[in-house]
Amino acid sequence: MVDSAQQKTLAAFKKEVQVIVDDVEYDELFGYQLSRGEFFDEEAYEGLLIKLLTAYDWDLHAAEDSLEKILEWRKEFDPLSAAFVEDHESKYDDIGFITYDPNGKALEKVVTWNLYGKVKNAKEIFGTDDSDTAGQNAFLRWRVGLMEQSVQLLDFKSPENDYMVQVHDYKGVSLFQRDAQVKKTTKKVIEVFRDFYPELLSKKFFVNVPTLMMWVFNVIKPFVAEKTRNKFVVLSNGSDLVKHLDPKMLGAEYGGQVSKGTQSLKFLFKESKTKYTPYTAHLVGQRIASEID
Ligand code: HEM
């Protein structure tokens, strides 16, 4: 609920949004148009602004500053292209996917899975060394694309579905996988999510974390915003996940009812690249048309 003081802050933010959009020359956030054009959706727009204000404890200037940075980054990185236009290498298919249950529990309908324990050849996934920016960039573009696809499944008009769950499964992980390049790329992804995707996580689970590697959690935590840290749950046993999430959406290895493991989970969600907002459809169409030209 937004109280009357917050209503005033929201009204002031609304006045500033158009100025920021004009300054940055970018008019889209998470698939919604920010100025009052053909695709403008007042309710979703308000939901998004409330999210930004919530992320910064209703500090108007911090929220304005954040919006400006987010739009600048979106203009440059083009996450919609990473999600819906670009083809990513199939090597990423095994380490990340989305499950979506429109009838699932509130704030748990969208779950992004990252099976980083399955990475056996870290160099192949994360790049080879500092000079291999192509490798790093390919991973980052794929990971941001996955994030953006899951964001499009949220509904910023609904208190039931305006946050997502994320799961990292570290089954099979070894200390040797955490080389310099992995650390560097991980840090970059964490920063991108922290700065440009605020207030989207309901909970984040780290499962099958070997006792010997629990310390990694403490090393990474300082890079993450405090509000986000409070949403983290570390479980050494994957099967304990069922105590937190709906068994209908979980494979047997997580104590759930989906019989054939995570592979079959993927098939619960077939729409990841086909469900998006009308404005995203419009912008993606423009990008594809400009590629054909
Ligand atoms: C050695 C193998 C590991 C790899 C390849 C790896 C990979 C990653 C990547 C790519 C991210 C970026 C965020 C994302 O993709 O959602 C991340 C974040 C993170 N990882 Fe790992 N990780 C490893 C080990 C661990 C271990 C053992 C822990 C202990 C719990 C851990 C805890 C975290 C935390 C707390 C974050 C921050 C999450 C966030 O900001 O949303 N990681 N990891």
Side-chain angles (χ1 to χ4, degrees):
M1 278 302 282
V2 176
D3 65 28
S4 61
Q6 290 172 335
Q7 282 293 359
K8 278 191 192 151
T9 310
L10 180 60
F13 196 12
K14 282 184 180 176
K15 279 193 189 144
E16 199 53 35
V17 170
Q18 191 59 52
V19 178
I20 296 172
V21 166
D22 291 343
D23 259 13
V24 179
E25 297 179 353
Y26 190 82
D27 186 18
E28 176 272 337
L29 179 61
F30 303 149
Y32 290 92
Q33 189 166 28
L34 292 173
S35 53
R36 291 172 188 269
E38 188 189 343
F39 295 92
F40 185 71
D41 178 333
E42 178 94 46
E43 230 188 309
Y45 162 82
E46 202 169 290
L48 286 171
L49 299 192
I50 290 174
K51 252 185 194 302
L52 277 170
L53 288 165
T54 308
Y56 292 94
D57 297 323
W58 290 81
D59 176 335
L60 177 61
H61 294 300
E64 286 170 355
D65 194 41
S66 162
L67 179 63
E68 187 169 350
K69 291 199 170 87
I70 292 172
L71 297 191
E72 277 166 358
W73 176 79
R74 290 183 77 81
K75 185 179 172 184
E76 196 196 321
F77 191 97
D78 198 358
L80 292 182
S81 167
F84 302 111
V85 181
E86 293 159 31
D87 279 327
H88 300 284
E89 288 184 61
S90 58
K91 66 186 179 192
Y92 299 123
D93 291 350
D94 278 348
I95 59 164
F97 57 91
I98 300 163
T99 53
Y100 174 52
D101 179 3
N103 303 314
K105 281 198 210 152
L107 310 184
E108 294 177 7
K109 297 175 198 299
V110 179
V111 185
T112 306
W113 298 81
N114 283 111
L115 313 187
Y116 289 136
K118 279 197 170 189
V119 177
K120 289 300 161 237
N121 185 344
K123 295 204 180 335
E124 196 200 328
I125 298 290
F126 295 98
T128 46
D129 61 34
D130 277 5
S131 59
D132 184 8
T133 46
Q136 180 184 348
N137 201 35
F139 175 82
L140 184 64
R141 294 205 68 80
W142 166 78
R143 182 66 188 90
V144 166
L146 191 72
M147 180 67 161
E148 200 67 28
Q149 286 168 16
S150 45
V151 168
Q152 298 271 335
L153 294 164
L154 299 179
D155 179 356
F156 299 109
K157 302 176 214 176
S158 156
E160 292 267 297
N161 188 28
D162 60 348
Y163 286 83
M164 71 177 79
V165 171
Q166 293 183 347
V167 180
H168 281 200
D169 186 342
Y170 287 119
K171 187 172 183 181
V173 77
S174 104
L175 211 49
F176 304 109
Q177 283 157 254
R178 249 188 127 251
D179 70 2
Q181 188 64 31
V182 171
K183 284 184 206 160
K184 196 174 158 208
T185 310
T186 300
K187 189 164 170 268
K188 182 73 196 160
V189 178
I190 291 170
E191 283 166 359
V192 164
F193 289 174
R194 183 193 61 203
D195 297 342
F196 307 132
Y197 291 91
E199 275 302 300
L200 293 171
L201 258 194
S202 57
K203 275 182 197 148
K204 185 153 182 159
F205 297 95
F206 302 86
V207 304
N208 291 317
V209 180
T211 319
L212 265 172
M213 287 185 76
M214 287 286 186
W215 59 269
V216 177
F217 188 69
N218 296 323
V219 169
I220 295 181
K221 265 195 328 195
F223 298 109
V224 181
E226 194 186 339
K227 272 193 173 182
T228 309
R229 281 204 304 258
N230 295 337
K231 297 171 180 171
F232 288 174
V233 180
V234 184
L235 301 170
S236 45
N237 265 331
S239 56
D240 285 342
L241 199 52
V242 74
K243 294 179 189 157
H244 302 266
L245 295 175
D246 185 352
K248 285 202 296 302
M249 288 302 284
L250 294 177
E253 68 274 45
Y254 301 117
Q257 294 165 1
V258 180
S259 56
K260 290 182 207 137
T262 39
Q263 274 309 103
S264 54
L265 262 181
K266 283 190 205 178
F267 301 110
L268 289 176
F269 181 67
K270 299 193 180 80
E271 297 167 295
S272 76
K273 280 203 163 188
T274 55
K275 192 170 181 307
Y276 38 67
T277 69
Y279 193 40
T280 300
H282 170 75
L283 295 174
V284 166
Q286 276 183 346
R287 282 155 175 72
I288 293 171
S290 74
E291 271 183 14
I292 296 168
D293 265 2

